[in-house]
Amino acid sequence: MGFYDDMQRSLQEAIEIEKGNIQLTEKKGMPAPTFVLTEKEREFIKKDKTK
């Protein structure tokens, strides 16, 4: 993937997060609020990238 493909994918993921379609969980014990993808979402995105 090139730079613009990566940028487009990142923006699409950000929109889905904002809409609430991608679930994030807060990672505890971090110095600042930190959110990560759930394992289910990580697997979905990994499968989507192989298309």
Side-chain angles (χ1 to χ4, degrees):
M1 271 192 184
F3 173 79
Y4 293 105
D5 292 330
D6 289 341
M7 182 65 69
Q8 181 180 10
R9 176 174 296 285
S10 297
L11 291 172
Q12 288 172 334
E13 288 174 4
I15 290 168
E16 293 304 314
I17 290 168
E18 185 70 24
K19 288 180 177 179
N21 295 333
I22 294 178
Q23 299 298 313
L24 299 176
T25 57
E26 186 170 5
K27 191 170 183 177
K28 303 291 183 192
M30 302 298 287
T34 304
F35 297 89
V36 296
L37 291 173
T38 62
E39 189 62 35
K40 178 182 170 187
E41 297 296 340
R42 219 175 286 149
E43 287 299 317
F44 176 77
I45 289 171
K46 191 183 292 184
K47 287 179 188 175
D48 190 46
K49 283 184 178 180
T50 61
K51 289 182 180 179

